[in-house]
């Protein structure tokens, strides 16, 4: 007789899910503790529009269009806090009919990030309202201008002078990557602006390392500038831009010998090698 344990796979699956959630919580906790010792900064990388292919440009336009569809469906649901994005989305057409359309570019993490933004906006307005301030409501929108890319190396990645964005075909060329040198990349935001598309990358660096970098940058000379130097007693060198250098150059042994020879000489007296 064969005995089949029907309940075992479900228990195993549940245990795996709980273990995964536990590891995620531990990772988030460790990251938060690490961030307390780091400095945060956001850098703007410009996507080079004239280097985009036709399919890349169409995908970038499409992803913001689909983001607008998702935003409006989430608001239309009446309960954004229980709303869950689907594979398809209902879109209201110009003749007031509802048309079901498919997401082609908007990734799952982009969807989650957008829904979180809506919920965050609602909470913020509720807090301001409790404080007695006049507030509006989070309603339908005609366009979405920013999309969150929460995970580096998953929703976006940067290699050299190029970046890859989830569901955008191929690599896109970006300007300003040099700003990221030495920084740990975290989340990013893809934005649509008047001059094209941008990647705003949030980065972190150890506070002490950041302090050393700023000090070195402050002391570094700037090209094509003219400054004055004032030699003083209390401070060795003071520049006209306010920078002070407390440095002393010691006398060499040769300089000391020559100084002693000079002190022994008398004014008007010639050396033995002089011709009478």
């Amino acid at each position: 007789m064969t005995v089949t344990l029907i309940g075992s796979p479900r228990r195993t699956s549940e245990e795996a899910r709980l273990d995964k959630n536990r590891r995620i919580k531990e990772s988030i906790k460790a990251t938060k503790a690490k961030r307390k010792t780091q400095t945060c900064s956001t850098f703007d990388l410009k996507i080079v529009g004239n280097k985009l292919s036709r399919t890349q440009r169409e995908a970038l336009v499409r992803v913001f269009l689909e983001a607008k569809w998702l935003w409006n469906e989430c608001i239309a649901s009446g309960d954004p806090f229980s709303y869950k994005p689907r594979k398809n989305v209902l879109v209201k057409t110009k003749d007031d009919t509802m048309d079901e359309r498919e997401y082609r570019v908007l990734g799952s993490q982009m969807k989650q990030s957008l829904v979180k933004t809506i919920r965050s906006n609602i909470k913020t307005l509720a807090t301001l309202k409790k404080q007695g301030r006049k507030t509006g409501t989070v309603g339908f929108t005609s366009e979405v201008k920013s999309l969150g890319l929460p995970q580096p190396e998953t929703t976006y990645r940067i290699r050299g002078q190029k970046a890859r964005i989830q569901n955008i075909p191929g690599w896109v060329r970006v300007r300003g990557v040099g700003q990221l040198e030495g920084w740990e990349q975290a989340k990013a935001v893809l934005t649509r602006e008047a001059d094209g598309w941008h990647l705003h990358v949030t980065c972190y660096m150890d506070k002490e390392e950041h302090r050393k970098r700023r000090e070195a940058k402050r002391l570094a000379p700037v090209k094509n500038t003219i400054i004055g130097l004032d030699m003083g007693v209390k401070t060795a060198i003071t520049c006209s831009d306010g920078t002070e250098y407390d440095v002393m150059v010691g006398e060499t042994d040769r300089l000391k010998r020559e100084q002693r020879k000079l002190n022994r000489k008398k004014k008007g007296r010639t050396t033995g090698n002089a011709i009478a």
Side-chain angles (χ1 to χ4, degrees):
M1 182 178 67
T2 304
V3 178
T4 304
L5 300 177
I6 299 177
S8 297
R10 291 186 178 179
R11 284 198 297 270
T12 304
S13 177
E14 180 66 13
E15 290 174 359
R17 185 185 68 82
L18 293 174
D19 182 62
K20 180 180 178 181
N21 290 342
R22 178 187 57 79
R23 287 186 280 109
I24 291 174
K25 288 181 180 179
E26 290 177 353
S27 176
I28 292 174
K29 186 178 179 180
T31 300
K32 286 183 178 179
K34 182 181 179 181
R35 296 297 185 230
K36 292 180 180 179
T37 65
Q38 295 178 314
T39 297
C40 177
S41 188
T42 300
F43 300 98
D44 180 9
L45 308 184
K46 174 72 168 64
I47 296 177
V48 184
N50 58 8
K51 296 294 183 179
L52 293 171
S53 66
R54 181 178 59 84
T55 54
Q56 288 175 332
R57 187 177 293 274
E58 289 175 352
L60 285 167
V61 172
R62 174 84 182 189
V63 73
F64 283 97
L65 176 63
E66 293 179 0
K68 182 189 74 171
W69 295 345
L70 173 63
W71 182 289
N72 290 336
E73 185 183 66
C74 179
I75 297 299
S77 69
D79 187 7
F81 290 92
S82 61
Y83 172 81
K84 293 183 179 180
R86 303 175 296 113
K87 291 184 178 180
N88 296 329
V89 59
L90 288 175
V91 180
K92 188 175 183 179
T93 61
K94 293 181 179 179
D95 55 359
D96 290 335
T97 59
M98 301 304 293
D99 184 23
E100 188 171 22
R101 298 178 183 176
E102 180 185 3
Y103 291 113
R104 297 178 186 174
V105 187
L106 196 66
S108 58
Q109 294 198 27
M110 292 182 187
K111 295 176 185 176
Q112 294 171 10
S113 177
L114 198 59
V115 173
K116 285 182 179 178
T117 299
I118 295 173
R119 294 171 180 173
S120 176
N121 290 349
I122 294 174
K123 289 179 180 179
T124 301
L125 291 178
T127 301
L128 293 174
K129 191 174 182 179
K130 287 181 180 179
Q131 295 174 356
R133 302 186 186 183
K134 292 183 66 176
T135 61
T137 59
V138 180
F140 298 103
T141 184
S142 60
E143 62 178 347
V144 172
K145 293 184 177 181
S146 62
L147 280 171
L149 306 174
Q151 285 191 332
E153 300 300 321
T154 302
T155 51
Y156 82 97
R157 67 182 65 175
I158 297 173
R159 298 288 186 274
Q161 300 297 317
K162 295 183 178 181
R164 187 151 199 170
I165 303 167
Q166 188 179 40
N167 295 340
I168 303 298
W171 293 81
V172 298
R173 187 173 294 277
V174 291
R175 295 196 183 104
V177 178
Q179 303 172 90
L180 307 182
E181 185 179 355
W183 290 84
E184 176 189 347
Q185 297 172 30
K187 64 181 180 180
V189 177
L190 175 65
T191 63
R192 182 176 58 181
E193 303 176 23
D195 62 342
W197 295 277
H198 292 248
L199 264 180
H200 298 270
V201 185
T202 300
C203 301
Y204 291 87
M205 180 183 291
D206 181 75
K207 289 182 179 180
E208 182 62 22
E209 178 64 24
H210 186 247
R211 185 193 65 78
K212 292 179 180 178
R213 281 193 168 206
R214 285 193 305 171
E215 185 67 16
K217 186 176 181 180
R218 186 180 70 85
L219 296 176
V222 181
K223 291 182 179 180
N224 301 323
T225 57
I226 300 174
I227 60 173
L229 301 179
D230 178 34
M231 307 296 183
V233 178
K234 186 176 180 181
T235 303
I237 302 173
T238 302
C239 301
S240 57
D241 61 359
T243 307
E244 297 181 349
Y245 297 93
D246 191 13
V247 294
M248 295 297 294
V249 179
E251 295 180 345
T252 63
D253 292 338
R254 181 175 180 276
L255 179 60
K256 291 177 181 179
R257 289 196 302 269
E258 296 298 329
Q259 189 67 39
R260 288 195 295 269
K261 289 180 182 179
L262 181 62
N263 290 337
R264 288 195 295 265
K265 291 181 180 179
K266 293 182 180 181
K267 187 177 180 179
R269 183 178 179 181
T270 60
T271 62
N273 296 329
I275 301 176

